Amino acid sequence: MLPTHHRLPLALAIVSALSLPLVAHAAPETNASAITATSTATLDTVTVTGTRAQGRTVRESAAPIDVLSAEDIRAANATSLLDVLNTTVPSFNLPLETGDLNSMVRAGQLRGLNSSHVLVLVDGKRRHATALLGAGGFGGAAPADLGLIPTGAIERIEVLRDGASAIYGSDAIAGVINIVTNKAARGGNVSYRDGTYFAGDGRSRVVQADVGFGIGDGGYLHLAAQLDDQHATDYTSPARDTFLYYFPRNAAGTAIRPGGNQASNPTLPAGATPDPREATRDNNAWRNRGIRAFRTKTATANASIPLAATVDAYGLLTLAQRDAWAPQNFRQPLRNEVVRAIDPDGFAPTEHIDENDGALTLGLRGQLGQWDWDLSSGYGRDAMDINLHNSINPTYGLDSQTDFYIGDLRYSAWTYNLDLRRQVQTGWLAAPLEFSAGAEYRDERYRIGAGDVQSYTHGGQRVLDGPYAGTVLGIGLGGSQALPGYRPEDAVDVSRNSGAVYVGVAADLGSRWRVDLAGRHERYSDFGSETTGRLSTRFALHPRLALRGTISNGFQAPSLAAQAYRNTSNGNFYTDHILQAGSPQAIALGAQPLRPETSRSLSLGIVAEPWESASLTVDAYRIDVDDRIALSTTFREGLYPGSGALVTSVGLGAQDGVRYFINAADTRTEGVEATLEGRWDLGRGGSLRWTLASSHTRAKITGLAPTPPVLAAFNVPVFSTGSQNDLLYKAPKSRQVLGLDWTLGRYRVGLRQSRYGDIQRYGSPATVAASGPYAGQAEIAYDIGGLWITDLELGATLARGWDVALNANNVFDRRVTKLPEPLLAANEYYRYANGGPIDGSGGLWSATVRYRWD
C-alpha cells in the first residue's frame, strides 16, 4: 500500500455524504457563478476568481489567474487552442510527441502534472473527455481535448492555476481552464491565415467566421465556424549508406540472408555484395518525425432567449470533425514482414483517425426570491474510428489487405447541474455573506470496438520468397503492421455514474480581509466516495499590496477508460498485453483495483501594484499527489528470465509481454510563478503593453508502489526507473515569457521572447558502450531544454473593418537537441529528441487577412 492519504479536516469540507447522487460545478460565466468576470482597473482584460462568490479582479483574487483575450489568441499565431496556451502561459506545457495515436490527439499539462489534472470548462460547464486513453503520451490520462475547440469562437480563456476540486470536482488538481465563448448579439468576423515553416513544408491554413444576431428583447444567437488544415513537417534522418534495404548477393548473384539483426540492423556478410537496387533506393523512406498532418472542421452555436422577466433559456452546441495522419517506420523489403510480391520496395504504413466530437448544453437560469439559480443538462460525445493505410498482414501472404480498420473508441457523458447562489445579511458583518450550493449528476460510458479480422489474426502463411522462403512467421507478426487491430476479447462497453453536492461561503471580514470556504462530496459507482475542501483568503496590507493563499485537498477519479482498457498488440517478436487492472488475470499477476489519485495543495502569494498601471503577482505552491496512475513495467521472459512462467499461468503465451495500470507513485511538485505587467503611454509614440511572466517547478517521487511478491520473485520492478522519469520530467524546470505589444494609431508590433529551462530525459542504448563518453552507461541522460524562442508580429488595422498581420514564430529557426549517438537506431545519422516544447520543424511564418463588422 502507498502511504495513507491525508485529508483536510472535515470541518473544511462542510458537506457530509448524502444518498442523493448529485454534484455541481460552475454555472455559465454570464450568470456570475462559478468562474465569474469583471473588468480590471489597470489592464484591458477580464478575470476569473476561482470562487463561486461574486467576481473579483486579478489583483483582488485569492488565486493566481491568467487571462487571454481574443486578440491574445490571434497574436499567438497557433493552429490550435493547445498551441495558444503553450505559447502564452508559462505554467502550461505541451510536449510534442511523434508516435502512434497519441501524437494525433495531443494534450498539455499545467504546473508539470498530468494532462488530466486540469479540469476544462466551456462557459463554466465541464467538458467531456477524449475517447483516446493516453492522449499526448500521458499514460493513463483521458483529458478533455482542447484541440477540438475552435479558437475563433472564443471571447477569452481563463486559466486558474490552483487546486480547485472542492469547487469544481474531480480533475481540478493542478487548476482549471475555462473557455468563454463569444456571445455578441451583433457584428461578425471573417479571417484567413496561411503560412509554412521556413523549410518549406508544414503549410498551415486557418479559415474562421463568426456572426451574432439579436433575438427578441435581450436574447442572442452567435454562430461560429472554423477550418484548420495543417500539412506535415518532416525532419527525419536519411538512412545510413551502410543500412541495407534489400537482401545482399553472394558471388553467384543469389539473394542471401543479411548479417546482424534482419529488421533493425541488417549488415553485409563477408564476401557478399549489395543488391544493385541499393544505389537507387529512397534514402528518405522514413518520414515519421515531424508535426502530424490534420484537418479539423468545427462549428459552434451559442444562444440565450429571455422567457420571463427573471428567467432565461440558454444553449451551447459545439461540433468538430477531425482527420489526422501519423506516418510510421518504413519496412525495408528484406524484412520477413514484407510481402515482396505486393511491396517489392517495402512500405511505410500511415495511421489515420476519423473523429467526430459534439457537445450540447441546454439550461434555464434566473432568480427566485433572493436566489440566483441555474439548472442545466449537457451531453458530450467523442467518437473515433481508427484506420491503417499502406500496411500488410504478412501471415496472409498475397491475400492480405493493405488497408485496415483497426477499431473504434467511444466516450460519452451526460451531466446534470443545479447551481444556487444568494447573499445573506448577518448583522455582524459589514458586507453580506455570499452563499452558494448545488449538485451534479453524471453518467459516463466508454467503448472499444474490434477491427477487421485480418488486423489482429494470424493467417498461417509462411514467408513466400527470398532466402527465408518457407520460414514460419511468428505469432508476433500476425496482424496489421505498425498498429494491430483491437480484438473481440479486447472490446469493452462499460459505464458508471457519479454525483456530488457542494457548499461554499465567502465573506469580507472587514474592509481588508476576504475568506472563501468550499466543500464538496462526490460518490462514484465504481470506486466509492471522496470529500474535498478548500480555504482561500486574501488580506490587504496596503491599497497596493496584499497577501493571498489557499489550502485544499482534491482528487481525480480513475478514468473510465483506464479502468476498462484492454489491448493485445503484436510486436515483431512477441505479443504485448495490457490487462484490465481489475481483471482476474491482472490480479493474479499482482494488480489491484485502481484507486483515485488524491492531492493536498498549499499556495501563498503576494499581489502588488509597484507603480501606477503596473501589476505584480508572485505565488509559491506545493502539490502532493498520491496514488498517481500509470502503466506498470512490461515483463516477459526475454527481459526478466523466469517470468514467462507467470505469463503462462494466466493463459498467455510464454514469450508474451504483460503490463497493467497501477497506482504507481506519490509525487510532490513545488514551484514559484511570477507575473509583472503594465502599460506605458508613450504620448505621440503610441502605447506599450508589456508582460514578464516566469514559472519555476521541481518534482520528486515521495513514495513508490511496492512490488507485488509474485513479481518480486523474478526481480521485476512494478514501476521502472524509466517510467518514474517520464512521470517527473515532461515539463521544463523553468519557463519565462516576455511580451511587448506596441501600438501607434492603426499600426502594431508584437514581440514575444520565450525561454524554456532544463528538461531532463533518459534513454537506454541497445548496446552499452565499452569506451568513449558514454562508456558503461545503461541509461543516458540528456537535456532537451535550454531554448530561447522569439516570435514577432507586424500588423495594421485598415479602413472599413479590414486588418492584416504578418507573423513569424521561432524567428531564429531554433530546433530541439539531437539524441546522443548511442540512442540512435542503426538506420539513423541523427534524431531530434521527442517530447519537448519544440521539435525539429524550426520557424514558421504566416500572413492573416481579416474583415470585421459591427
Side-chain angles (χ1 to χ4, degrees), residues 555-762:
F555 82 105
Q556 179 181 36
S559 69
L560 190 56
Q563 298 210 82
Y565 192 77
R566 174 189 170 101
N567 181 243
T568 306
S569 59
N570 298 325
N572 290 332
F573 308 106
Y574 65 93
T575 299
D576 183 62
H577 302 270
I578 298 178
L579 303 179
Q580 287 180 346
S583 67
Q585 283 179 308
I587 290 174
L589 296 175
Q592 297 180 3
L594 294 177
R595 302 182 298 276
E597 302 180 32
T598 58
S599 68
R600 301 170 303 283
S601 302
L602 174 66
S603 66
L604 297 171
I606 62 170
V607 184
E609 185 181 1
W611 61 86
E612 188 177 354
S613 298
S615 175
L616 170 68
T617 63
V618 180
D619 294 276
Y621 64 88
R622 187 179 78 187
I623 306 172
D624 290 290
V625 186
D626 292 345
D627 288 332
R628 292 189 63 172
I629 295 171
L631 277 169
S632 72
T633 300
T634 298
F635 58 93
R636 57 184 178 87
E637 181 67 27
L639 293 175
Y640 300 97
S643 64
L646 290 177
V647 179
T648 56
S649 71
V650 295
L652 303 177
Q655 300 300 319
D656 289 0
V658 172
R659 51 186 171 155
Y660 44 75
F661 284 103
I662 59 173
N663 291 103
D666 303 336
T667 63
R668 171 171 292 174
T669 303
E670 298 173 313
V672 177
E673 300 162 334
T675 301
L676 177 64
E677 59 183 345
R679 184 188 299 275
W680 291 332
D681 184 354
L682 305 178
R684 300 178 68 177
S687 65
L688 180 68
R689 181 182 173 186
W690 54 271
T691 302
L692 177 59
S694 180
S695 173
H696 296 259
T697 62
R698 65 181 182 185
K700 64 179 180 180
I701 289 176
T702 57
L704 282 174
T707 296
V710 68
L711 298 185
F714 297 95
N715 297 314
V716 179
V718 73
F719 196 53
S720 68
T721 302
S723 297
Q724 295 173 39
N725 293 334
D726 190 56
L727 198 67
L728 295 176
Y729 301 128
K730 279 189 176 292
K733 295 181 180 179
S734 66
R735 171 91 187 279
Q736 291 78 39
V737 178
L738 170 63
L740 300 173
D741 295 286
W742 173 69
T743 58
L744 178 62
R746 65 177 60 185
Y747 302 104
R748 65 183 182 275
V749 177
L751 176 67
R752 181 173 52 247
Q753 182 70 54
S754 302
R755 181 188 177 275
Y756 298 90
D758 295 341
I759 309 175
Q760 197 170 20
R761 289 287 189 272
Y762 294 87

Side-chain angles (χ1 to χ4, degrees), residues 167-302:
I167 304 175
Y168 306 112
S170 173
D171 306 341
I173 287 177
V176 179
I177 296 174
N178 185 34
I179 311 301
V180 180
T181 60
N182 195 332
K183 302 175 182 65
R186 57 181 295 175
N189 166 88
V190 177
S191 67
Y192 174 70
R193 184 173 77 232
D194 199 337
T196 65
Y197 283 82
F198 293 175
D201 57 359
R203 185 180 183 185
S204 175
R205 290 174 289 182
V206 180
V207 182
Q208 297 176 336
D210 71 280
V211 61
F213 305 94
I215 300 178
D217 184 13
Y220 64 85
L221 170 64
H222 199 96
L223 304 175
Q226 184 166 325
L227 170 66
D228 296 85
D229 185 15
Q230 174 70 59
H231 293 194
T233 63
D234 178 34
Y235 48 84
T236 315
S237 167
R240 288 181 182 266
D241 294 337
T242 55
F243 187 84
L244 297 181
Y245 280 23
Y246 301 92
F247 289 115
R249 304 293 177 127
N250 61 16
T254 303
I256 61 173
R257 299 184 180 189
N261 184 290
Q262 179 197 5
S264 62
N265 189 20
T267 58
L268 197 66
T273 58
D275 187 295
R277 289 174 292 179
E278 299 283 6
T280 57
R281 72 186 192 182
D282 180 7
N283 273 336
N284 296 107
W286 280 265
R287 294 182 175 88
N288 58 331
R289 302 254 167 211
I291 292 173
R292 300 317 197 195
F294 66 84
R295 185 179 300 113
T296 305
K297 293 172 281 189
T298 52
T300 64
N302 200 344

Side-chain angles (χ1 to χ4, degrees), residues 288-332:
N288 58 331
R289 302 254 167 211
I291 292 173
R292 300 317 197 195
F294 66 84
R295 185 179 300 113
T296 305
K297 293 172 281 189
T298 52
T300 64
N302 200 344
S304 177
I305 303 174
L307 299 181
T310 60
V311 179
D312 292 342
Y314 64 90
L316 174 64
L317 173 67
T318 66
L319 298 172
Q321 193 278 326
R322 171 165 59 195
D323 285 286
W325 298 267
Q328 300 300 300
N329 279 320
F330 173 66
R331 271 71 173 166
Q332 68 268 31

Side-chain angles (χ1 to χ4, degrees), residues 353-367:
I353 62 172
D354 179 3
E355 185 175 10
N356 289 279
D357 185 277
L360 175 64
T361 298
L362 297 174
L364 297 171
R365 59 186 170 220
Q367 292 180 315

